Amino acid sequence: MFGDEGYSQFVGFMKICLPLAALVLMSTVFLFARAPTQDNLIPYAELEQIAEESRLSGAHVSGVADDGSVIHVDAKSAVPQGDVLSVETLSATLETLDGTLIDLYAGRGEIDDVGRVAHLQGLTRIETSNGYNMETAGVTTDLRSGRIVSDGALEVQAPFGALTAGQLVIETPDGQTGQVMLFQNGVRLVYTPQQ
């Protein structure tokens, strides 16, 4: 198809054209590259705010209530604000004298160091080792006495069925050992007999 001379000219032509074509293609990649969008930008104001505030990660608090119950509180992160510790991804365990474990989980909360009170906020789950699983909108826990009070209504899955109540109180009555769960304010029970 090509003679020796035509082939040499073709090869010489391609030696010049191919690198030029590659250079044009590469320049169009950079020329038409997308400009950074708002989502890709680093929020420097937020970074400065995070750097300025003192923050603890993996916070853990333990103590013993007046009735002898052992309390453990863990949080993914905590920010001190005076005497109050503002926490995220909170879990707490109350181990009563009779061996019952009460686990509490919430997305956020506050621990008042002076008042010795923990407020769990948002959707709060309560699980007990004797088979109760509860959900409520928030819980207030007295770290001195071990008393737990729901901030509002709750739904409960119990060993004997399902129930709803306007409020839950877990406390140790005077002169007794071990916690007692009191469901109050409009309790409705759907009893499921055990097979």
Side-chain angles (χ1 to χ4, degrees):
M1 183 171 153
F2 292 116
D4 287 341
E5 189 177 313
Y7 181 75
S8 298
Q9 288 177 349
F10 176 73
V11 169
F13 177 74
M14 293 306 278
K15 281 184 181 178
I16 295 170
C17 287
L18 286 177
L20 283 175
L23 187 61
V24 168
L25 283 173
M26 294 225 7
S27 64
T28 58
V29 167
F30 293 110
L31 182 66
F32 296 116
R34 290 186 307 182
T37 63
Q38 197 65 18
D39 295 338
N40 296 338
L41 296 177
I42 298 172
Y44 290 106
E46 289 181 26
L47 290 176
E48 288 177 10
Q49 179 184 359
I50 291 171
E52 287 175 2
E53 69 183 14
S54 54
R55 178 179 293 268
L56 307 169
S57 85
H60 179 79
V61 178
S62 292
V64 179
D66 293 342
D67 67 352
S69 299
V70 179
I71 301 170
H72 302 282
V73 180
D74 292 292
K76 183 178 179 182
S77 65
V79 178
Q81 297 172 338
D83 294 331
V84 175
L85 199 61
S86 182
V87 293
E88 299 282 331
T89 314
L90 179 75
S91 66
T93 300
L94 180 74
E95 185 177 349
T96 65
L97 286 178
D98 64 2
T100 304
L101 294 176
I102 302 170
D103 296 317
L104 299 101
Y105 305 94
R108 64 185 189 283
E110 293 180 345
I111 300 173
D112 183 351
D113 189 42
V114 174
R116 306 289 294 156
V117 174
H119 299 286
L120 283 67
Q121 302 163 352
L123 178 64
T124 304
R125 288 186 299 119
I126 305 168
E127 299 174 0
T128 67
S129 59
N130 54 1
Y132 289 82
N133 293 310
M134 302 166 250
E135 287 187 351
T136 184
V139 166
T140 300
T141 304
D142 187 328
L143 299 175
R144 283 194 186 98
S145 66
R147 185 173 196 258
I148 301 170
V149 180
S150 70
D151 292 347
L154 67 154
E155 295 182 4
V156 183
Q157 292 296 321
F160 49 80
L163 64 95
T164 58
Q167 189 176 48
L168 165 72
V169 177
I170 302 175
E171 62 185 353
T172 302
D174 293 335
Q176 294 186 20
T177 58
Q179 301 277 31
V180 175
M181 284 191 293
L182 303 170
F183 299 103
Q184 52 195 21
N185 299 342
V187 179
R188 296 184 68 185
L189 168 66
V190 176
Y191 178 67
T192 306
Q194 296 297 316
Q195 299 297 324

